[in-house]
Amino acid sequence: MAKRLLDVVNLNKEFQVKSDKTFFRKPASIRVLSDVSFELYEGETLSIVGESGCGKTTLGRCIVRGMNATSGQVLYHTEDGGRVDFLSLRGKDFKKLRKEIQMIFQDPYSSLSPRMSVYDIISEPLLANFKLSKSEVEEKVTDIAQKTGLNVSYLRRYPHAFSGGQRQRIAIARSLISNPRLIVCDEAVSALDVSIKAQIINLLKDLQQQLQITYIFISHDLSIVQNISDRVAVMHLGKIVELAHVELLFKQPKHPYTEALLSAVPEPDPDLKKDRIILEGEVPNPANPPSGCHFHPRCAYKTDLCVKKEPELMSIGDGHYVACHYANDLKLRGVNHDES
Ligand code: SF4
């Protein structure tokens, strides 16, 4: 078993919502993350999937401290065998570990400063975090540019001179330059054309092999998730409702929400017809979540128990966790029409 890199423990994020009619009232709050807990192992890719608004991007941002969590811990296992709460680090202690956890954003057009040359963009984290000579910086930038497939002779150009795929390579080079152990990729290939997507996915996989990086890969595209992941966590309304090894989750989903998401994944064999499960009704309002299981208004398998009691995320063996009262009873359809 690989070593643990991160323990996310009961992470919560609430937003206060102001309304002109609530001048004398306490502002309402929306809970975007609700007691999210999971472990992350060194060298793995854990994907986080779910519909828009499920909280997956907020989760990624809270982990890297791009956004403050309301409560909870992100316990980071350091290389010397220690363990610290990354969210409570301050000053020098934070700066020391900050470079080990990086993020790549969805939009390579807005995530790179148009006023900086590509060389300056890639070298900026080095200059901020390390004391290096000019030639050492140049050596490292050249090395990472080569590893990420960038043409070294173009590094003095500005981002506007590059295509979307090349810009995402620049963003990856920038995130790698400080030698991170974890990269959170937030919809990192969503804005790219299909052929470029494949190139960037292959690049991320190659770099993981070479540099032993761990990824949290946030995506709504399950075909890509199937290709890149070791494990997958499915989020619904701010909670993890299923977490398992990628093959197990795709072949034998145990949560009806996962089954519905998987029904949208195209089959590789065109002769296999697939009935897509269309979830009835709206995505529930996080400011006023449904009683019991938050998925019950859209679940075809719900019972009275589901309306009254909220299921907890429980282990059903083989590293498979599910939050459904009937996880062991339902016969759900996975990809390739395998049934449990
Ligand atoms: Fe559906 Fe009930 Fe399971 Fe929730 S607990 S997913 S409503 S069967």
Side-chain angles (χ1 to χ4, degrees):
M1 174 62 86
K3 284 199 315 196
R4 286 240 284 276
L5 182 68
L6 217 62
D7 303 330
V8 175
V9 185
N10 295 335
L11 204 63
N12 288 289
K13 176 67 186 172
E14 286 180 13
F15 290 105
Q16 304 290 322
V17 192
K18 284 192 185 143
S19 142
D20 48 358
K21 289 184 184 164
T22 59
F23 188 76
F24 294 106
R25 270 190 255 150
K26 226 176 120 192
S29 68
I30 295 183
R31 208 162 183 199
V32 183
L33 294 179
S34 187
D35 283 328
V36 174
S37 299
F38 62 88
E39 291 153 2
L40 187 68
Y41 295 92
E42 263 185 1
E44 76 165 334
T45 300
L46 173 70
S47 288
I48 314 277
V49 304
E51 294 162 294
S52 292
C54 70
K56 55 190 190 300
T57 289
T58 305
L59 175 60
R61 289 183 187 212
C62 286
I63 289 171
V64 301
R65 286 181 61 172
M67 187 182 275
N68 290 328
T70 306
S71 63
Q73 292 180 305
V74 173
L75 300 174
Y76 179 68
H77 295 249
T78 54
E79 273 181 309
D80 60 8
R83 196 174 72 155
V84 291
D85 180 9
F86 186 64
L87 301 190
S88 63
L89 293 176
R90 299 282 176 269
K92 275 188 198 159
D93 294 335
F94 174 57
K95 195 176 172 197
K96 197 170 145 219
L97 292 185
R98 176 76 191 88
K99 56 186 180 294
E100 297 185 13
I101 301 181
Q102 296 289 323
M103 189 157 188
I104 303 170
F105 298 93
Q106 173 178 7
D107 184 0
Y109 288 86
S110 61
S111 63
L112 304 175
S113 170
R115 292 192 183 84
M116 293 169 75
S117 72
V118 169
Y119 184 91
D120 289 341
I121 288 171
I122 296 175
S123 61
E124 193 182 34
L126 272 188
L127 301 174
N129 293 304
F130 302 91
K131 284 188 184 135
L132 297 171
S133 68
K134 206 174 159 195
S135 63
E136 285 171 324
V137 171
E138 201 166 320
E139 196 181 312
K140 283 187 179 291
V141 172
T142 304
D143 176 54
I144 213 68
Q146 284 168 341
K147 281 195 170 97
T148 50
L150 288 165
N151 189 329
V152 176
S153 56
Y154 294 165
L155 292 181
R156 298 290 172 182
R157 295 184 181 184
Y158 287 79
H160 67 81
F162 292 82
S163 66
Q166 289 293 314
R167 284 178 193 225
Q168 205 55 310
R169 286 176 192 268
I170 296 166
I172 292 169
R174 181 188 156 91
S175 72
L176 286 173
I177 195 83
S178 50
N179 202 16
R181 295 172 72 207
L182 168 64
I183 300 181
V184 176
C185 307
D186 181 14
E187 300 279 10
V189 295
S190 303
L192 305 175
D193 293 343
V194 176
S195 62
I196 309 294
K197 261 182 202 177
Q199 287 175 22
I200 298 294
I201 291 293
N202 288 337
L203 173 65
L204 289 170
K205 285 162 85 171
D206 288 348
L207 291 169
Q208 185 173 47
Q209 288 286 318
Q210 283 177 50
L211 307 170
Q212 282 80 50
I213 309 166
T214 306
Y215 294 129
I216 292 179
F217 192 81
I218 296 165
S219 180
H220 66 276
D221 187 333
L222 286 162
S223 302
I224 290 175
V225 164
Q226 189 176 19
N227 181 290
I228 197 170
S229 314
D230 295 298
R231 293 187 302 147
V232 182
V234 181
M235 284 190 73
H236 179 262
L237 217 66
K239 287 173 177 279
I240 292 180
V241 295
E242 184 159 11
L243 191 157
H245 189 274
V246 62
E247 277 179 26
L248 199 54
L249 186 122
F250 273 71
K251 285 193 173 162
Q252 297 176 10
K254 294 289 182 184
H255 195 286
Y257 180 56
T258 311
E259 181 189 43
L261 293 179
L262 291 178
S263 74
V265 177
E267 289 284 356
D269 182 349
D271 292 336
L272 279 178
K273 277 204 173 165
K274 192 160 189 179
D275 298 324
R276 186 165 175 184
I277 299 169
I278 307 291
L279 293 172
E280 302 286 335
E282 299 283 310
V283 178
N285 179 359
N288 184 22
S291 62
C293 174
H294 291 176
F295 185 60
H296 88 251
R298 298 197 290 165
C299 183
Y301 308 97
K302 74 168 176 240
T303 66
D304 289 349
L305 174 67
C306 308
V307 180
K308 287 182 201 142
K309 190 173 172 210
E310 185 172 4
E312 285 180 25
L313 189 68
M314 306 281 279
S315 169
I316 57 167
D318 295 330
H320 198 155
Y321 296 83
V322 192
C324 172
H325 294 306
Y326 303 103
N328 286 316
D329 308 322
L330 294 173
K331 302 282 177 216
L332 302 180
R333 197 183 68 197
V335 171
N336 301 329
H337 290 232
D338 278 359
E339 291 194 346
S340 55

